[in-house]
Structures are given as C-alpha cells and as structure tokens.
Amino acid sequence: MSMTRAELQDAADKAFGQSDLAPDAEKAWGLIAEMGFLMMAVPEAQGGLGLGLEAAGVVHDALGRVLVPGPAIAQMLVIEALNAADTLADRDSLIERAVGGEVMTASLALRNSATLLTCVPNADRASHVLLVEEARIALLPMDGLTITPRDTWDKTRRLFDVSVDGSTPQIILAEGNASTALAQRLSMQRSFALAADSLGGANATLRLTIDYLETRHQFDRPLALFQALKHRVADLKTAIVAAEALLWERASDRAMDAITMGALKAHACNVYRMVTEEAVQLHGGIGLTMEHHCHLFLKRAMLNAALGGDADHWEEETGRQALGQAIA
C-alpha cells in the first residue's frame, strides 16, 4: 500500500471514532463516500486508490466499531464486480457512480437463486442489485423488481429480499470461467469484510466493558481490580488480538481461497459473539437491559455470524478441503 495501515486507521478513526453508536444512516453514507472509502480497492487506472484488501479491512473495522449502518459491504462487492468487467462499455461510468455514493447493493447471503436474492442491504434505496450465479454475474436495475423487507433483530442493518423477474434487463459482468473466478473473489471479499467488521465491534465492546469495570465500584474498589474479572477480560483481549493477527495475515496472502477466508470469517464472528456475550455478563444487571449498548453489539454479532455462511458451514467446508488435500 502507498498508505500505511496506521494512516488509514487514523483517517477512519477521525471520520467515525467520535460518532455515537449506530449513527444516522444517511449522514454516515455520505461520509463514507466523501472520505473515498468506496474507492479504496479500485485500481488507480480506473480512478481509484488501488489499496487492495487490507485497506478495505481497515474501513470495515472502523465501521464495525461504531455500528455504522448501510450497505458498505454490498457496495464494495458491486464495485469489485464492475472492476472485473473490463469489456463492459460503460464500466467507468458505473464505477464512478458507485464510488460517488449511488447505492448499488448485493446479497450478503451465502446462497441465492436466479429468482430470489435474500439479505440484500438497503434495496429500497438502490439503483442496481448484483446477481451472482455460477455461470453468470450481472447487474440488474432495481426498477420493477419486487422487494420485501426482512424483520431482523439487529436494527443497524436493513435487509430485504429481492424477487428477480426474468424479463428484467441485465448488465452482464462475467460469464463462464470468468464468472466462476469472480464469484470466488466476491465470496472472499464478503467473508473478509464481515470478519473485519466483527473484530472492530469486538474491540469496541471490550473497550466499553473495561470502561465500565473501571468506573463501577464495589466494596469501595473499582470492579476492574477484582482478579476474577481481570482474568476474564484478559482472555477476551487475547482472543481478539489472535484473530486480528490472522485477519491481517490473510489480507496480504495472495494464495487465499474462498474456503480459507470463510473459515477466517467464522472464527472472527465466534470471537465477536463470545466478547459481546461476556460483556453482557460483566456489566451485571444493566447489561441485561435491551437498551444497553452491549445489546446493540450483541445483535450485530449474531447477524454477522449468520451472513455469508455460518460457522457450521465454513468449518465443514474447511474439513472437507483438508481431507481432500490429505488423501490427494
């Protein structure tokens, strides 16, 4: 990268670090576009910054720390697909619109059909939706498509189901072998983004918990001085740091495949869920109230764990891959 990870993290912290949890969606989306976060992975030849996966990870980590709503992950999937469509006549125009903040969305579910896309963020505001199939990847105008909102526990993301009409015009981005390869890259990018979002949220939750333990007193002493609580917090920090090390190692490994990245996502989401569940317990009675910030992080952790394939799926895929390699 021409910019270091620390420089990017500093910029992201300045943009969102002082925000309230789950900030206003429209303002946050405008800031994401204004800061150039959507063009991080776009090659310089196409007007982007060409900073790659690591830069995208910094952005998603920052968005996860304050539970920024919106379709950032889906938008970056669309931009990645447009980058690959080098024979598309108006590709540059579409990329320019996408990095400028025009909402183009995509499903965050593991599997979809040619007629129904599930778990599509902000479909009600999008101009296009990305259709990913084994033999074809296309961009569909939203005009005329039927959308159905999904009632989710986590209110920081608005998800929809999109019914695809066979008569809908399609902008073909890739077909055949090119489509298969691009679908693998999109799966990797989705898993990596969810992993970064999860570890950003895990760090923020732990910071919130430590602040509480340092403030709350019992027997005239801060709870943070109680050894049993310190050990629990130390265990959570160890789990986060280990998962972060794996995240940044995977970001720079060009030999990654969709299964390995999916395993990373499953691990990061497990850490996020463990931290948020422990945070609720460590906050005592106040942590059990639905209005507390711990619950906002817990709900996002549960949704992240389900999007893009759950841990059972990726652990089974990883096991099958390892077995195949062992007997090859």
Side-chain angles (χ1 to χ4, degrees), residues 1-74:
M1 291 194 305
S2 57
M3 295 177 66
T4 66
R5 188 195 309 160
E7 289 173 327
L8 283 170
Q9 286 173 330
D10 183 58
D13 288 342
K14 287 178 179 175
F16 289 104
Q18 304 305 317
S19 298
D20 294 331
L21 278 183
D24 178 79
E26 188 170 347
K27 289 182 180 178
W29 185 248
L31 188 55
I32 289 171
E34 180 184 338
M35 293 290 293
F37 289 159
L38 297 174
M39 61 173 65
M40 288 286 183
V42 177
E44 292 180 275
Q46 295 164 22
L49 299 177
L51 296 179
L53 198 58
E54 187 175 0
V58 171
V59 173
H60 292 301
D61 178 279
L63 301 185
R65 285 175 187 265
V66 289
L67 302 176
V68 173
I73 295 177

Side-chain angles (χ1 to χ4, degrees), residues 259 310-323:
I259 293 176
D310 61 15
D312 287 346
H313 169 81
W314 288 116
E315 287 168 1
E316 180 180 347
E317 289 295 311
T318 303
R320 290 181 183 277
Q321 184 185 60
L323 184 61

Side-chain angles (χ1 to χ4, degrees), residues 25-160:
E26 188 170 347
K27 289 182 180 178
W29 185 248
L31 188 55
I32 289 171
E34 180 184 338
M35 293 290 293
F37 289 159
L38 297 174
M39 61 173 65
M40 288 286 183
V42 177
E44 292 180 275
Q46 295 164 22
L49 299 177
L51 296 179
L53 198 58
E54 187 175 0
V58 171
V59 173
H60 292 301
D61 178 279
L63 301 185
R65 285 175 187 265
V66 289
L67 302 176
V68 173
I73 295 177
Q75 186 93 357
M76 290 189 185
L77 295 180
V78 174
I79 293 171
E80 175 70 18
L82 286 170
N83 285 338
D86 52 9
T87 60
L88 184 64
D90 57 348
R91 179 184 64 163
D92 291 348
S93 172
L94 287 167
I95 290 176
E96 183 178 353
R97 289 162 59 185
V99 300
E102 178 179 325
V103 177
M104 299 181 189
T105 190
S107 169
L108 298 184
L110 180 63
R111 294 187 180 88
N112 289 280
S113 70
T115 58
L116 181 65
L117 307 180
T118 60
C119 301
V120 180
N122 295 63
D124 58 334
R125 294 183 52 223
S127 63
H128 295 78
V129 63
L130 188 69
L131 174 66
V132 179
E133 297 180 290
E134 184 67 22
R136 175 190 53 170
I137 294 176
L139 199 61
L140 280 59
M142 288 296 299
D143 292 341
L145 298 184
T146 301
I147 63 173
T148 306
R150 297 177 71 97
D151 187 17
T152 57
W153 196 33
D154 173 24
K155 303 303 180 186
T156 63
R157 290 198 184 105
R158 297 185 306 112
L159 300 179
F160 298 80

Side-chain angles (χ1 to χ4, degrees), residues 5 53-54 188 192 199 241-256 260-261 264:
R5 188 195 309 160
L53 198 58
E54 187 175 0
M188 289 172 53
F192 183 78
L199 294 179
V241 169
E244 284 181 323
L246 187 61
L247 177 84
W248 299 122
E249 190 274 336
R250 293 285 189 260
S252 57
D253 188 346
R254 296 184 179 277
M256 279 299 97
T260 307
M261 202 65 92
L264 165 69

